[in-house]
Amino acid sequence: MSRKTDFLIIGSGIAGLSLALKIADLGKVTIITKKRAEDANTTLAQGGIACVLAEDDSFDLHIADTLRVGDGLAREDTVSLVVCQAPDRIKELLDLGVPFTRDPKDPSKLHLTLEGGHSRRRIVHVEDHTGREVEQVLLSHAREHPNIEILENHLAVDLITLCKVYRGCPREVLGHERCLGAYVLNEETNEIETFLARVTVLATGGAGKVYLYTSNADVASGDGMALAYRAGCRVANLEFVQFHPTCLYHPKAKNFLISEALRGEGAILLDPFGKPFMHKYDPQRKELAPRDIVARAIDFELKKTGKECVYLDISHKPKDFIIKRFPYIYETCLKFGIDITREPIPVVPAAHYFCGGIITDRYGLTDIKGLYALGECTCTGFHGANRLASNSLLEGLAFAHQASIHLKKEWPLYQRFEPPAVPDWDPGGAVDMEEKVLISHNWDAIRRLMWNYVGIVRTEQRLRLAQKRLNSILEEIEAHYWAYILTADFIELRNLAHVAKLVIECALRRKESRGTHFMVEYPQKNDALFRKDTVLWRARES
């Protein structure tokens, strides 16, 4: 089955939905999302969106904070581009109906909170469930727009490019590579359909599920990164995986994040014996140190004591304040028998955010014509080696806006392009996979391997062991890819394995410690050799 559209957007988080709303008047927009539309990391974002609004704040301060946390790899021009448009992007969300929390002292202003790495209060939020509200508002508007179609339970298998259509033709003959759309698994019919588009956009989010413990939604299996890399795009800086310091530690809590905003409002980290410890690792900033420092401090305390969690205590604050400021966290913890107004919260670090991804320019353009990428699946130069808290939703909004500017300008050219005839998906002699344990076993093996060998603190020996074991798993996956009829679980497993491979390769190349990447053998930064991106390209790596 073949479908045609003007814009094919893969992903339904803040970046994909924002872009869809901005370009829908140009032509037909088709959004595909592999589960429900709201099943995105955006929905889980608690903290808020960084934006300069306070009188004692400035763009220069926000830029400086972002560059400092980015640890030498954030690009000042990109940081300035994003930071300076934040007020306009927040105004757009307000106009759409996002109910940002107001300042109780002056309801004409938005309430601003503080998070680690920030020198001023500049986080706008909707209580402690910002992402959920933003996602619902954007989805509501997208569903009402006559030019936007949202297809749930549709999972991209691979991008369709000219090189794939004209097999055997080198890029030099074609003049350039171009994206024509994607092969997509319709999970309701179990058929792989052909989606052709003048413009294709990857807005698939991160890859937290590559690790055993993560704050991410179940959909975060690195699909966009894997799709782009296999198609021939460059990826960069995938060694920089940010581990959120505080996820709820409870056997029945799957991936519940305890927002950094608690520490911004005065919560204290306690070791397993109830004593504060952050003063030993960052005497000045303590709990408000950047996430990489806090996560490594917790990791060290756990390894030193042999315990399974540390604690985050905000119970010294007034009960009414806690319940009003953090209603979602309060209610969720209470379901697990934890009253955060009276006792500390058991927490552990978990994989949270990928600072690297598909290389794009300031308009979201990738190496392949007609293919854009937005949000967490990208490497724009905004985050560098470590992301400043609450800059992620901002990046999605900003680059959706940037892409819309470019698409509106170039639309007359795109509109004249007609994709060539593309063959339907050919399963060949593939048969149903009867032993589903082949998928579940490798899924678990990869995530445990990454957590134990490629986690918060790394060694070269462990990385090489992980690479060797992963290569063996990848050989098995690729053999199964051609032998069996594809399922959603298997497609995700393949993507997960490819992203894991890229993370390990990037980590092995960076023989220093910078940002979220910490190597035991190389504990210092080496600006002379490594103050640059770690770039991988399937066709020619450099």
Side-chain angles (χ1 to χ4, degrees):
M1 181 179 176
S2 181
R3 297 172 179 254
K4 286 189 176 182
T5 186
D6 292 311
F7 304 95
L8 175 63
I9 298 178
I10 304 174
S12 58
I14 190 171
L17 291 173
S18 296
L19 178 63
L21 291 171
K22 287 174 179 282
I23 61 174
D25 291 340
L26 296 178
K28 181 181 178 182
V29 179
T30 300
I31 299 173
I32 64 168
T33 182
K34 64 184 182 181
K35 298 298 180 186
R36 298 180 308 160
E38 57 267 37
D39 290 337
N41 272 349
T42 296
T43 300
L44 299 183
Q46 295 177 359
I49 304 173
C51 178
V52 173
L53 294 175
E55 292 181 0
D56 66 343
D57 201 1
S58 69
F59 290 143
D60 286 343
L61 285 172
H62 189 180
I63 290 167
D65 290 345
T66 302
L67 291 173
R68 182 178 61 255
V69 172
D71 210 2
L73 292 188
R75 294 200 294 270
E76 188 167 0
D77 59 339
T78 304
V79 174
S80 178
L81 172 73
V82 175
V83 165
C84 293
Q85 64 176 279
D88 290 337
R89 304 288 78 79
I90 294 300
K91 183 179 184 304
E92 287 175 348
L93 291 179
L94 283 166
D95 290 343
L96 288 173
V98 175
F100 287 114
T101 300
R102 295 282 173 174
D103 188 336
K105 297 179 181 178
D106 184 356
S108 68
K109 298 179 180 179
L110 299 180
H111 182 261
L112 303 175
T113 190
L114 180 68
E115 292 185 356
H118 289 272
S119 59
R120 296 289 189 275
R121 285 182 171 266
R122 65 168 68 101
I123 315 302
V124 301
H125 61 96
V126 185
E127 296 178 337
D128 59 347
H129 45 82
T130 308
R132 187 178 71 191
E133 296 298 326
V134 171
E135 179 76 10
Q136 287 178 354
V137 168
L138 291 176
L139 262 179
S140 175
H141 283 277
R143 283 173 169 147
E144 291 173 358
H145 200 292
N147 282 359
I148 298 177
E149 175 185 35
I150 301 176
L151 300 176
E152 298 180 320
N153 300 307
H154 280 67
L155 171 59
V157 178
D158 262 322
L159 296 176
I160 302 170
T161 63
L162 283 174
C163 283
K164 287 185 178 179
V165 174
Y166 300 110
R167 291 181 180 179
C169 291
R171 292 180 189 174
E172 291 79 6
V173 174
L174 294 172
H176 63 262
E177 179 64 295
R178 182 167 194 141
C179 186
L180 309 176
Y183 289 115
V184 177
L185 174 65
N186 182 337
E187 294 186 52
E188 295 176 354
T189 65
N190 291 319
E191 294 180 356
I192 295 178
E193 302 173 355
T194 305
F195 280 70
L196 300 179
R198 292 184 168 89
V199 174
T200 301
V201 182
L202 296 171
T204 55
K209 295 299 285 187
V210 78
Y211 284 94
L212 185 61
Y213 301 110
T214 178
S215 64
N216 287 190
D218 286 342
V219 296
S221 51
D223 302 330
M225 301 172 194
L227 288 167
Y229 179 74
R230 289 197 297 264
C233 290
R234 291 171 299 157
V235 297
N237 295 352
L238 286 167
E239 69 269 38
F240 297 117
V241 181
Q242 186 179 79
F243 290 80
H244 197 287
T246 54
C247 278
L248 179 62
Y249 179 75
H250 190 280
K252 294 183 180 179
K254 188 175 182 181
N255 55 3
F256 186 68
L257 182 71
I258 303 297
S259 172
E260 189 157 339
L262 268 80
R263 285 181 280 133
E265 297 292 353
I268 299 171
L269 281 163
L270 306 174
D271 68 17
F273 308 104
K275 297 180 179 179
F277 61 86
M278 277 308 301
H279 63 281
K280 296 185 293 184
Y281 301 95
D282 197 309
Q284 184 175 359
R285 294 174 293 187
K286 299 177 184 176
E287 276 75 12
L288 291 179
R291 289 174 177 175
D292 60 317
I293 294 173
V294 180
R296 281 198 296 274
I298 294 173
D299 183 70
F300 184 82
E301 290 292 322
L302 294 179
K303 288 176 177 174
K304 181 178 69 173
T305 62
K307 301 296 183 180
E308 296 181 327
C309 68
V310 296
Y311 296 88
L312 184 66
D313 189 12
I314 198 170
S315 63
H316 52 279
K317 291 287 185 177
K319 181 176 181 178
D320 291 344
F321 167 79
I322 295 172
I323 295 174
K324 184 176 181 180
R325 176 66 182 84
F326 303 107
Y328 182 45
I329 294 174
Y330 170 74
E331 292 167 6
T332 302
C333 286
L334 205 58
K335 292 177 183 177
F336 296 111
I338 303 164
D339 184 347
I340 69 172
T341 67
R342 302 179 61 182
E343 59 188 317
I345 310 163
V347 294
V348 291
H352 184 58
Y353 193 88
F354 272 67
C355 298
I358 308 157
I359 292 178
T360 73
D361 68 4
R362 65 191 285 122
Y363 296 106
L365 281 163
T366 70
D367 294 323
I368 297 177
K369 190 173 179 63
L371 179 66
Y372 294 70
L374 309 171
E376 190 179 347
C377 67
T378 67
C379 181
T380 64
F382 182 47
H383 303 305
N386 188 20
R387 175 177 69 89
L388 180 64
S390 287
N391 266 354
S392 53
L393 295 181
L394 173 59
E395 183 189 36
L397 290 168
F399 276 91
H401 181 71
Q402 291 298 112
S404 73
I405 293 173
H406 191 266
L407 285 167
K408 289 173 182 177
K409 178 184 175 183
E410 299 295 324
W411 183 235
L413 292 176
Y414 282 123
Q415 202 170 16
R416 289 199 293 269
F417 174 74
E418 285 295 334
V422 172
D424 289 336
W425 180 265
D426 182 8
V431 297
D432 284 328
M433 181 185 291
E434 295 181 358
E435 298 291 336
K436 298 297 190 294
V437 69
L438 295 173
I439 296 176
S440 60
H441 172 77
N442 282 330
W443 179 277
D444 185 65
I446 291 171
R447 299 181 70 209
R448 289 185 182 276
L449 183 70
M450 293 297 289
W451 183 260
N452 292 327
Y453 287 59
V454 199
I456 298 172
V457 175
R458 300 160 178 174
T459 69
E460 197 162 13
Q461 181 185 25
R462 286 202 298 264
L463 288 174
R464 294 202 180 280
L465 284 171
Q467 186 178 52
K468 183 178 179 180
R469 294 182 184 181
L470 185 62
N471 284 339
S472 176
I473 294 173
L474 269 167
E475 288 181 10
E476 183 179 332
I477 289 172
E478 291 304 325
H480 291 164
Y481 181 74
W482 299 109
Y484 298 107
I485 294 173
L486 296 183
T487 63
D489 288 342
F490 189 82
I491 294 167
E492 285 188 318
L493 172 66
R494 184 180 181 229
N495 291 337
L496 202 75
H498 284 162
V499 172
K501 173 179 179 288
L502 296 173
V503 172
I504 294 170
E505 289 182 4
C506 285
L508 280 168
R509 294 187 180 204
R510 185 169 292 278
K511 300 183 187 303
E512 65 161 358
S513 291
R514 183 187 298 271
T516 62
H517 174 69
F518 187 86
M519 292 283 282
V520 171
E521 297 93 338
Y522 311 100
Q524 304 301 320
K525 279 186 291 190
N526 186 337
D527 283 345
L529 294 178
F530 295 107
R531 191 166 183 173
K532 61 181 182 180
D533 294 334
T534 307
V535 179
L536 299 179
W537 186 23
R538 191 178 189 187
R540 183 184 66 218
E541 296 187 1
S542 60

